[in-house]
Amino acid sequence: MKQFYAKVISNQRIAPDHFILSFKTPHAMAKKVKPGQFFKIKVNNSSKPLLGRPFSVHKAGNNKIEILYKIVGEATRILSTKKSGNILDILGPLGNGFDTGLSGPAILVGGGHGVAPLVELAKKFANHNIKPVVFIGARTKKHIVCDKDLRKLGAQVHVVTEDGSKGRKGLVTELLKNKITGKNLKKPVTIYACGPKPMLMAVGKLAKDYKIPCRISLEEYMACGIGTCLGCAVKTRGGYKMVCKDGPVFDAKEIVW
Ligand SMILES: Cc1cc2nc3c(=O)[nH]c(=O)nc-3n(C[C@H](O)[C@H](O)[C@H](O)COP(=O)(O)OP(=O)(O)OC[C@H]3O[C@@H](n4cnc5c(N)ncnc54)[C@H](O)[C@@H]3O)c2cc1C
Ligand code: FES
């Protein structure tokens, strides 16, 4: 983990509310970063907003990191105005990330912007010749991102929207249940999920009911990002843990929802 100033390489809108920002990293950092780790980015020098915001690694390589973010408030709105050559104050990489001692088969589940870290994870699987099954869910078509990138990595991608404007209509967990109860499921399989808490709870419950190992990446409000302020505590069967330091990736069955 390192605090550094990074030059923005590009910052492109990829959907109405979603951008991909890439920044230069210090030597070799991009090679070492794990899928599921995150960076805390301070978007300006002022006290508004005071705190850096956490964003997962979307893609890493060639001395650069990409993050994929959705505009939801002040910091992400300011981030969306950054141009090539602007400098960002960054802390990271932070957190544990997904296990990379990977053995397949794997099911990846992403809800909303939670799909962002699954692209780097799918890349790691592709490097091990594992083609995961991926379920991407969002409210509407305009919130579906990364489906093309994941297909390019060889993943079998299924899209679900709540209003049926793209892919199947419904919830991502409905398709997940069909998959894990279906005859064609290759075992032993592991589920990796990132997205809103209600989705993660539902995915964790399905995994528990069908005895499938499941790793989830949690999002909590963060201040320090390094385990000292106790602001991102989450209750687990082993007591309170910090999402920033002990996570953000946890074994789903450890979480007390
Ligand atoms: C480990 C981690 C990884 C993340 N990775 C990504 C990513 O790859 N892409 C991405 O777009 N976002 C990601 N986020 C969420 C991102 O950090 C927030 O969207 C961002 O901090 C919002 O800042 P803001 O000032 O724009 O909005 P704020 O004004 O802070 O918040 C705007 C709205 O978003 C909600 N919100 C903000 N942060 C959170 C949170 N942590 N949990 C639940 N609700 C929240 C608020 O309740 C509010 O309704 C991640 C969060 C964590 C903890
Ligand atoms: S953000 Fe401070 S302990 Fe996690």
Side-chain angles (χ1 to χ4, degrees), residues 222-225 227-232 242 244:
M222 289 186 180
C224 70
T228 52
C229 74
L230 311 184
C232 64
M242 300 307 130
C244 65

Side-chain angles (χ1 to χ4, degrees), residues 18 36-39 49 52-58 67-78 113-114 116-117 194 217-222 243-244 248:
H18 293 80
Q37 286 193 299
F38 64 96
F39 288 85
R53 298 292 201 261
F55 299 97
S56 307
V57 173
H58 171 56
I67 59 158
L68 186 163
Y69 63 97
K70 182 179 180 209
I71 301 182
V72 293
E74 187 63 0
T76 44
R77 190 195 57 73
I78 295 170
H113 69 247
C194 185
S217 181
L218 291 180
E219 283 192 10
E220 269 304 332
Y221 294 100
M222 289 186 180
V243 172
C244 65

